[in-house]
Amino acid sequence: MVNPIPDSVRKIWDNWNIRGAILFSLSLQMVLILFASLRNGTGNKLVISVVWSAYLLADWVANFGVGLITERERDTPDHSKQPAENNELLAFWAPFLLLHLGSPDTITAFALEDNEFWPRHLFGFIFQVVAAVYIFLLTVPGNKLFIPTILMFIAGVIKYFERILALYLASVEKFRDSTLRELAEHYQKHDIVIKKDRCYLEVGCQYFKIFKGILLDLMPNFKRINFAGPFFGDFSPEDALGIIEVNSTWFMKFYIPRSR
């Protein structure tokens, strides 16, 4: 049977698949760095779609790139026949893509549900680290990029593990546990006091301690705590809306950790 893919196309793919994956992954990282912070402050569907697409593709492209590098090393059993510079660069690009898997600091999770996928990222972290170490060990004798590769590997491991830790701490169960401990301390020490004469920003932060317990189903309403007010009716409409805005912003920061 005749191969439907021309030899010229196969040659281009063999020569540019790793380069293309690295450049595409780097482009996606730039998109996330520039536009990820805008997704919560805009209703533009185009911006949200671009960020969502880049977020989903970033992990896939980085994993695909590490797989291509591993396959290239596996298909070259006699590394003496391949230029040493190619092997050294391949060993450097693997932890470079590991750094991309850690995601930029502007976005860790796109939606609330993404925080619950931290075990999947943990398994991916283990496999990708093993693959990067395997690729590096194949080039250890006489690797001129030994120190830069080691530094890139350390940075990639820290970055990727930092992302997993951020997702774990933002997961619902972990957030519920920390909130429960905080509320228990208030029960034991003193009542939650809201000072009405402060600005709405400070009052909103004080209310946040209560709203966390209500929204996480740790308490049904204000009656379950020693709370004597003031309530929303005691504030002006402008201050009440400002308090709601402050609490909404805080919940977005807690549930969707954009920066680390």
Side-chain angles (χ1 to χ4, degrees), residues 63 98 101 119-129 160 164:
N63 286 315
L98 191 67
L101 287 170
R120 185 185 68 181
H121 289 282
L122 180 60
F123 281 107
F125 168 79
I126 295 173
F127 287 116
Q128 296 302 327
V129 168
Y160 199 179
I164 298 172

Side-chain angles (χ1 to χ4, degrees), residues 25-204:
S25 179
L26 186 59
S27 300
L28 292 173
Q29 296 296 313
M30 293 299 297
V31 171
L32 292 176
I33 291 173
L34 295 175
F35 299 106
S37 59
L38 302 177
R39 74 189 192 279
N40 291 329
T42 180
N44 193 317
K45 294 183 179 179
L46 179 60
V47 174
I48 297 176
S49 299
V50 169
V51 174
W52 176 75
S53 301
Y55 173 78
L56 293 181
L57 287 173
D59 288 349
W60 180 85
V61 172
N63 286 315
F64 182 65
V66 175
L68 289 175
I69 295 174
T70 306
E71 184 181 10
R72 179 68 61 86
E73 291 288 346
R74 185 197 63 185
D75 294 340
T76 311
D78 188 0
H79 290 80
S80 61
K81 296 181 180 180
Q82 187 178 6
E85 293 80 2
N86 290 347
N87 297 331
E88 294 169 359
L89 285 175
L90 289 177
F92 179 81
W93 289 130
F96 181 76
L97 292 174
L98 191 67
L99 188 67
H100 287 184
L101 287 170
S103 75
D105 289 343
T106 54
I107 182 172
T108 303
F110 185 84
L112 304 181
E113 294 78 7
D114 293 334
N115 298 324
E116 308 304 321
F117 294 150
W118 67 266
R120 185 185 68 181
H121 289 282
L122 180 60
F123 281 107
F125 168 79
I126 295 173
F127 287 116
Q128 296 302 327
V129 168
V130 171
V133 171
Y134 167 76
I135 296 169
F136 174 72
L137 291 178
L138 293 177
T139 62
V140 167
N143 190 338
K144 298 178 182 179
L145 299 177
F146 180 84
I147 295 180
T149 303
I150 288 294
L151 294 177
M152 183 62 69
F153 177 78
I154 295 175
V157 170
I158 294 175
K159 187 72 170 178
Y160 199 179
F161 185 77
E162 183 185 28
R163 178 188 185 185
I164 298 172
L165 182 61
L167 292 173
Y168 168 70
L169 294 177
S171 61
V172 174
E173 290 301 324
K174 188 64 178 179
F175 193 29
R176 284 171 58 92
D177 292 341
S178 62
T179 303
L180 186 60
R181 289 194 299 269
E182 182 179 342
L183 291 175
E185 293 178 359
H186 282 288
Y187 272 120
Q188 295 174 0
K189 295 180 181 180
H190 51 73
D191 298 344
I192 298 178
V193 180
I194 304 296
K195 299 179 180 180
K196 183 182 177 181
D197 57 339
R198 303 297 176 88
C199 68
Y200 75 90
L201 292 175
E202 184 175 351
V203 174

